[in-house]
Amino acid sequence: VPAYHEFIGKFAELIDVDMDGNVYNKRRLSWGREALQPSIMVRNPEQAQVYMRYAGAKPSRVMLTETADKGYSWTTPIKTQLPNPDAAIAVLGVRGGALEDALIMAFNNSPESRNRLSLGLSKDNGKSWVVLHDFEYDQNTAERFSYPYMIQTTNGHYHLVYAWNRSLIKHVVFNNRWLEQRALATLGNN
């Protein structure tokens, strides 16, 4: 279970629980006061990536740590190319369709403000990202679109929920066909 600690320090952790909900282990993914609110992407039984909110010094970027040994050890967190205004992110693997195994991420596409909520796509396991779509964008930096959460249901639909301007929860549904159309419009045939 991805979790985080935010008292004196700010750091991400993974907590192992048994079938009865009892905690039997925890592993720290970051240290200090910079990375929290982990979003985990399991690639296979050995490898996983964790993307995290960044709360440190500029430049403000989404943080990443990886494992190649079933989560027993993790790389030192690094900054990705994606901006992050000290805001939560949500990452998910694409299942089905032409973008099978690509990653999608809902994130605030700004280093300073939560006034833009975008959907990013990575076709190279998170090494590079392109923005496919802005779900929300308001030039008024006082507007806030934050705390995204994404799942894909058994019918193949992706559900994204997020806080809309601190007053509502917005729910957006899309599918692989829409993702593929956005990718084609953004990337062409690459």
Side-chain angles (χ1 to χ4, degrees):
V1 176
Y4 67 97
H5 176 88
E6 192 173 6
F7 177 71
I8 300 175
K10 293 181 182 180
F11 52 85
E13 297 180 312
L14 287 180
I15 299 175
D16 296 329
V17 295
D18 63 22
M19 296 301 286
D20 296 321
N22 298 309
V23 174
Y24 66 88
N25 191 26
K26 69 178 181 175
R27 281 165 280 207
R28 192 174 287 191
L29 301 172
S30 64
W31 296 263
R33 302 185 53 79
E34 295 181 345
L36 65 157
Q37 295 177 332
S39 182
I40 189 165
M41 178 61 229
V42 176
R43 302 302 292 172
N44 59 49
E46 298 283 327
Q47 298 174 309
Q49 299 171 308
V50 173
Y51 292 87
M52 298 170 280
R53 171 182 178 169
Y54 181 68
K58 307 238 181 300
S60 300
R61 300 283 183 260
V62 171
M63 298 292 287
L64 168 66
T65 183
E66 300 178 282
T67 184
D69 62 5
K70 301 180 183 179
Y72 292 107
S73 63
W74 292 84
T75 61
T76 300
I78 60 168
K79 291 181 179 183
T80 68
Q81 72 187 53
L82 298 170
N84 184 258
D86 196 359
I89 52 95
V91 66
L92 201 59
V94 175
R95 293 191 330 247
L99 296 173
E100 176 87 31
D101 292 327
L103 300 177
I104 54 175
M105 181 187 294
F107 71 106
N108 293 103
N109 191 14
S110 166
E112 304 294 331
S113 174
R114 297 181 185 181
N115 66 327
R116 178 177 290 201
L117 186 69
S118 301
L119 184 70
L121 171 76
S122 174
K123 293 172 66 177
D124 59 6
N125 203 28
K127 291 177 183 66
S128 63
W129 292 85
V130 295
V131 174
L132 291 185
H133 183 72
D134 287 331
F135 291 110
E136 302 283 354
Y137 177 60
D138 191 318
Q139 291 182 341
N140 176 359
T141 58
E143 299 293 319
R144 294 176 66 105
F145 313 108
S146 51
Y147 298 101
Y149 180 77
M150 255 188 321
I151 62 168
Q152 185 180 21
T153 53
T154 55
N155 67 359
H157 291 138
Y158 298 88
H159 295 263
L160 169 65
V161 293
Y162 55 93
W164 187 88
N165 203 25
R166 298 181 178 169
S167 60
L168 302 169
I169 301 295
K170 192 161 183 182
H171 177 209
V172 177
V173 180
F174 55 94
N175 60 22
N176 281 336
R177 185 169 181 225
W178 180 84
L179 274 176
E180 291 163 11
Q181 289 172 343
R182 297 300 312 148
L184 185 60
T186 304
L187 300 169
N189 289 323
N190 294 333

